Amino acid sequence: MPDPILRLALPSPLRRLFDYRAPPGVPRSALQPGARLRVPFGRRELIGILIEVTDHSEVPADKLKPALQLLDAQSPLPPALFKLCLWTAQYYQHSLGDTLSWALPVLLRQGEPAEVRQERFWSIAPGAQLDDPRLSRAPRQRDALKTLAQHPHGVAHSLLSTLQLSKDSLDLLHEKGLVHVNIRRHAASARHANWLAQPELPLNPEQRAAAEAVRTGFGSFNAFLLAGVTGSGKTEVYLQLIRETLEAGKQALVLIPEINLGPQTLARFEQRFNARIALLHSAVNDRERLEAWLAARDGEADIIIGTRSALFTPMQRPGLIIIDEEHDASYKQQEGLRYHARDLAVVRAHQENIPILLGSATPSLESLHNAHSGRYALLHLRERAGGAKQPRFLRLDVKSRPLDSGISGPMQQAIGQTLAAGQQVLVFLNRRGFAPTLLCHDCGWLSECPRCDARMTVHQRSHELRCHHCGHVERQPSNCPKCAKVDLRPVGAGTERAEERLAILFPKVPVLRVDRDSTSRKEAMNNLLSTIQRGEPCILVGTQMLAKGHHFPRVTLVAILDADGGLFSADFRASERMAQLIVQVAGRAGRAEEPGKVIIQSHLADHPLLVQLTEQGYFAFAEQALSERRGAGLPPFCHLALLRAEAHKPGQAEGFLDHACTEAELLLDELKLSGIELLGPVPAPMERRAGRYRAQLLVQGETRAALHRLLNSWTAALEQMPSGRAVRWSLDVDPIDLF
Ligand code: ADP
Ligand code: ZN
Ligand code: ZN
């Protein structure tokens, strides 16, 4: 029989598999598909995944290198997850090896064993005597035995050095039969008879109807969209459905947006259940992540909660998937494998034949469209659960009104009145820093980033100019770099400036800022929350970090300083995002006795979308926005793929995209595909970023099938294209942002 050939997926951007010979001395029977192998690759070593074992290779036999080491007796990735990765690689036109690598916890990518951590425990053997004659001339062994005798449950291997126990002495004692070593798994706690650690709330009729609908969909693939206004009790519905999933002996996977990691969200799950919860979010370290992943895979975790990448957590007994805040942009990965965790979650639920529940107060237009077309069942929660009223919206036209650090006169009055009534105010401005630009009043110099087509933001507190696109930082100059005069003026307002101004206008109340700059330290957010909970008058100023995850019952006024960006942006999704943000921020406020008020400053206060949103609510807005998208032939009524390229020299990226465009036209002909348009290439909206010149080519398809037929052949051709070597390019299937 010829030597077996191993076909491996390697963590490389190349969309192909790589052939190797088996590691020396490893029999064919030991090589299971899915197992990891360490292999030489150029001058490096990589860890690849065995896709198949065959007998022939296109590579001449003398060029085939042997793999170095087999790492697994069986595939660490169960078949269901493997299937999901195959689908993902195919759909997002990404290399399979790289996809598998994204799906695996970091430590598995690095070759750690894929088993629940096992630990060696050392203990004194029953009947062993401290005065054993064999130890009379071995004082160190005798001391070691003495120490062990003090630990009747054994000593974990990791504690040996703490207890000054030497491994050599223990090995010698072990040979004499005086100590035992046993291997213990991390304690797998027993399953619970009563899953509830805390009583459930009796559901209101809308919640009951929603839960009932999902329950009847248990046991097979069914997709639900739970559209419930903020505070309508979506989380309570999730919790009760999870309890039923656990009672059925199944596991539940819950995805939350990155920003929702506030301890509040997780605490609600932990307090409710007597269950083993595996957490997989960005604050979890690599070791904990691996353990959580393995516990989920082996059925030892009952509930798996995590952000985007937790979608790739295997489950032994999958029962239910929940995607909270399904509209959130953090579900889309914007680098490498550009997958959308919500969309993949629906695919996964389908593959595993289980129900999936997408929840949001402001569902994405994509999901609403899926509900309208019958692919998802739409469930509504229209009322706030605690009986609180929905906030009232007021549009404040600021055309030709002076803005004082971004805050108009009437807005200042409204803030003052709310504080005087003993209540709290939330001021929302989605722009951090002091001011978006520094301007020289004498010569017109602007604080442009040397590496991007963008202005650097003034950060007054740290005396810096910072580029929010590439991270470039400079000291804030005291003289104009061009004309050396001193009249440098910050233009426009960010949260830092609004905070400073509000503190001067309202000196008697605390002004608290929440944005990425202020909350970099973990404690800061918690301090802030406790101040707010105390309930005394205060002003909260912040970016979209304020819009998510928290509930501020004592806030009765939400002041939105700038809604214009969403109304005249070049990005067709901008108005959807603005509407979601406004509704989410508004939803933070108000309680039963004190309905909230939301004031929106705008130069376009009569814009039809803004009028619709504020007078008829998000769903009316969404219908309007959907019909505009239909008219314009935009997603979800067409399908997009964006080919991006960037290079150090101007023109290089466009050159590659020109070739790519020609190639696509040829393929469209050859494959006889219709309903596909190529738009571009054009320079990216911000052409230069971090020192690179960027351009893009948009592919728009009426049907997904045709678009994907093109992409399949196209990506293969792009990989071969010589002009592609000099540029960095990537393909984004279903891009959510066209920049
Ligand atoms: P959402 O997830 O939709 O924002 P939550 O589940 O956080 O809403 O509920 C908002 C508030 O209403 C919470 O304080 C919650 O405890 C309360 N709540 C939810 N459901 C009920 C119910 N059936 N009866 C009473 N209070 C409820
Ligand atoms: Zn100047
Ligand atoms: Zn920059």
Side-chain angles (χ1 to χ4, degrees):
M1 202 145 122
D3 275 352
I5 310 262
L6 314 186
R7 200 149 283 163
L8 296 181
L10 295 183
S12 140
L14 295 174
R15 292 163 181 78
R16 45 167 286 215
L17 301 177
F18 297 83
D19 293 353
Y20 285 87
R21 280 188 282 122
V26 173
R28 188 183 266 252
S29 59
L31 295 161
Q32 297 296 321
R36 292 169 301 156
L37 288 122
R38 196 184 295 278
V39 298
F41 189 77
R43 282 190 212 143
R44 295 178 298 155
E45 283 180 13
L46 292 179
I47 290 178
I49 291 192
L50 182 58
I51 302 300
E52 58 170 345
V53 182
T54 79
D55 289 323
H56 42 80
S57 172
E58 318 242 296
V59 184
D62 57 333
K63 290 256 169 67
L64 279 179
K65 291 190 188 146
L68 301 170
Q69 189 190 3
L70 176 66
L71 297 173
D72 301 299
Q74 294 138 11
S75 170
L77 209 59
L81 238 282
F82 197 80
K83 190 171 161 200
L84 180 67
C85 289
L86 279 175
W87 196 96
T88 304
Q90 160 72 31
Y91 184 83
Y92 290 102
Q93 301 289 321
H94 202 76
S95 102
L96 177 61
D98 213 36
T99 304
L100 289 164
S101 174
W102 277 107
L104 289 174
V106 171
L107 292 181
L108 290 189
R109 286 177 218 163
Q110 296 171 350
E112 287 270 320
E115 319 248 314
V116 170
R117 187 146 47 133
Q118 304 189 338
E119 210 163 19
R120 269 179 295 170
F121 277 77
W122 299 85
S123 52
I124 184 163
Q129 297 296 325
L130 292 178
D131 56 1
D132 190 292
R134 287 172 292 173
L135 301 182
S136 57
R137 265 178 290 156
R140 284 162 52 94
Q141 291 178 48
R142 207 172 48 223
D143 287 349
L145 199 61
K146 232 186 254 170
T147 308
L148 279 190
Q150 291 160 3
H151 295 271
H153 299 294
V155 170
H157 192 78
S158 54
L159 290 177
L160 293 188
S161 59
T162 317
L163 295 175
Q164 293 178 334
L165 284 165
S166 99
K167 167 91 168 36
D168 291 344
S169 306
L170 291 178
D171 281 340
L172 293 168
L173 289 166
H174 188 231
E175 276 169 27
K176 299 188 177 89
L178 295 173
V179 310
H180 280 175
V181 189
N182 54 43
I183 310 272
R184 290 186 209 159
R185 276 171 88 98
H186 265 304
S189 47
R191 317 206 55 217
H192 295 275
N194 180 9
W195 290 104
L196 289 178
Q198 194 187 53
E200 294 180 327
L201 297 172
L203 297 181
N204 65 35
E206 282 188 325
Q207 286 174 313
R208 212 176 316 124
E212 185 57 37
V214 180
R215 184 178 308 120
T216 53
F218 270 11
S220 60
F221 172 69
N222 283 288
F224 301 90
L225 178 60
L226 180 60
V229 300
T230 41
S232 59
K234 293 184 291 300
T235 310
E236 187 62 36
V237 173
Y238 302 157
L239 290 168
Q240 302 204 9
L241 289 167
I242 291 171
R243 191 250 309 144
E244 296 191 36
T245 305
L246 302 181
E247 283 170 354
K250 304 270 177 69
Q251 297 165 287
L253 170 66
V254 183
L255 295 193
I256 55 177
E258 249 148 46
I259 208 94
N260 256 15
L261 285 176
Q264 294 173 327
T265 316
L266 297 178
R268 278 179 80 179
F269 287 85
E270 285 172 342
Q271 284 160 8
R272 176 63 59 90
F273 295 112
N274 293 313
R276 299 159 295 182
I277 299 184
L279 295 179
L280 293 115
H281 54 69
S282 49
V284 164
N285 71 32
D286 289 345
R287 172 63 58 190
E288 294 163 335
R289 178 174 285 268
L290 175 59
E291 306 260 314
W293 192 91
L294 293 169
R297 183 193 66 177
D298 298 342
E300 288 172 11
D302 307 303
I303 306 173
I304 297 99
I305 305 181
T307 45
R308 185 173 66 221
S309 65
L311 185 263
F312 291 106
T313 312
M315 287 185 276
Q316 194 188 57
R317 296 168 275 107
L320 175 66
I321 301 180
I322 292 173
I323 314 289
D324 190 26
E325 308 287 6
E326 65 86 30
H327 66 280
D328 197 280
S330 72
Y331 287 126
K332 170 84 175 175
Q333 178 149 290
Q334 300 282 22
E335 50 166 17
L337 173 60
R338 293 163 183 267
Y339 67 98
H340 200 303
R342 173 200 62 214
D343 298 349
L344 277 186
V346 176
V347 172
R348 178 169 183 187
H350 192 261
Q351 289 183 344
E352 306 220 33
N353 201 26
I354 57 172
I356 179 167
L357 177 59
L358 313 176
S360 175
T362 53
S364 62
L365 297 186
E366 274 78 5
S367 294
L368 281 173
H369 177 62
N370 280 326
H372 295 336
S373 61
R375 281 153 44 100
Y376 302 167
L378 183 57
L379 311 168
H380 273 290
L381 304 179
R382 292 169 215 273
E383 298 294 327
R384 285 190 163 184
K389 299 265 175 343
Q390 288 290 338
R392 270 183 312 127
F393 286 92
L394 295 171
R395 297 186 307 278
L396 178 58
D397 195 338
V398 290
K399 264 195 305 290
S400 77
R401 269 185 212 279
L403 291 179
D404 174 3
S405 295
I407 313 164
S408 67
M411 190 68 104
Q412 292 183 12
Q413 280 165 21
I415 294 173
Q417 283 161 8
T418 309
L419 295 172
Q423 295 156 359
Q424 300 179 339
V425 179
L426 190 162
V427 176
F428 174 77
L429 177 58
N430 210 13
R431 198 187 297 131
R432 62 199 171 86
F434 186 81
T437 311
L438 191 64
L439 166 76
C440 172
H441 192 60
D442 281 301
C443 76
W445 171 87
L446 289 168
S447 55
E448 266 153 18
C449 174
R451 311 172 66 211
C452 302
D453 291 332
R455 312 262 165 75
M456 288 188 287
T457 301
V458 184
H459 286 256
Q460 195 97 298
R461 189 110 2 127
S462 53
H463 309 289
E464 285 169 340
L465 297 177
R466 281 190 225 159
C467 175
H468 288 183
H469 304 283
C470 72
H472 178 82
V473 181
E474 288 177 13
R475 277 199 67 76
Q476 188 177 336
S478 43
N479 300 69
C480 172
K482 199 166 138 206
C483 73
K485 302 248 173 59
V486 292
D487 194 359
L488 291 173
R489 299 183 182 182
V491 182
T495 45
E496 202 183 302
R497 189 172 205 170
E499 174 198 18
E500 188 186 278
R501 188 70 196 132
L502 288 164
I504 293 170
L505 290 169
F506 304 103
K508 296 207 187 95
V509 302
V511 179
L512 309 161
R513 178 160 57 91
V514 187
D515 56 29
R516 212 151 17 108
D517 304 319
S518 73
T519 48
S520 43
R521 280 161 302 128
K522 226 179 185 177
E523 289 297 291
M525 189 74 177
N526 289 338
N527 286 342
L528 203 121
L529 289 173
S530 65
T531 311
I532 296 160
Q533 302 306 340
R534 255 181 268 133
E536 277 132 44
C538 69
I539 303 177
L540 282 172
V541 186
T543 57
Q544 59 172 335
M545 284 187 83
L546 273 182
K548 304 184 188 177
H550 299 289
H551 194 62
F552 307 124
R554 287 159 198 272
V555 168
T556 57
L557 172 64
V558 175
I560 296 178
L561 295 191
D562 182 10
D564 294 350
L567 295 173
F568 51 71
S569 165
D571 181 350
F572 71 87
R573 286 183 212 272
S575 61
E576 176 186 355
R577 279 202 205 112
M578 175 212 62
Q580 289 166 342
L581 212 46
I582 289 179
V583 173
Q584 294 283 348
V585 180
R588 300 301 121 204
R591 54 183 165 160
E593 318 87 85
E594 218 68 69
K597 184 158 72 169
V598 182
I599 305 182
I600 305 173
Q601 283 189 169
S602 173
H603 289 88
L604 301 161
D606 299 325
H607 193 288
L609 285 177
L610 198 55
V611 173
Q612 188 125 32
L613 178 70
T614 51
E615 291 181 2
Q616 288 163 46
Y618 181 78
F619 292 94
F621 159 86
E623 290 315 312
Q624 173 76 25
L626 269 173
S627 77
E628 284 179 14
R629 295 259 188 103
R630 185 195 297 272
L634 289 168
F637 302 96
C638 78
H639 307 281
L640 298 180
L642 186 65
L643 182 63
R644 297 186 177 89
E646 55 179 54
H648 286 292
K649 292 197 201 112
Q652 247 176 351
E654 270 112 322
F656 164 71
L657 293 179
D658 275 331
H659 292 158
C661 194
T662 312
E663 184 65 38
E665 279 159 358
L666 289 173
L667 286 170
L668 288 178
D669 252 11
E670 199 178 298
L671 301 169
K672 301 196 172 42
L673 296 173
S674 60
I676 293 186
E677 271 189 79
L678 298 160
L679 307 169
V682 292
M686 184 191 301
E687 186 176 6
R688 204 165 56 98
R689 180 157 135 182
R692 289 169 188 269
Y693 295 85
R694 306 147 74 229
Q696 56 195 37
L697 172 61
L698 187 65
V699 189
Q700 186 166 9
E702 279 170 27
T703 66
R704 204 179 275 298
L707 178 63
H708 263 85
R709 282 194 59 206
L710 171 67
L711 297 183
N712 287 339
S713 310
W714 199 34
T715 40
L718 295 178
E719 263 183 7
Q720 303 300 322
M721 226 177 260
S723 56
R725 310 259 149 81
V727 305
R728 249 202 235 165
W729 62 268
S730 64
L731 185 72
D732 191 349
V733 176
D734 302 335
I736 59 164
D737 135 18
L738 300 184
F739 291 82

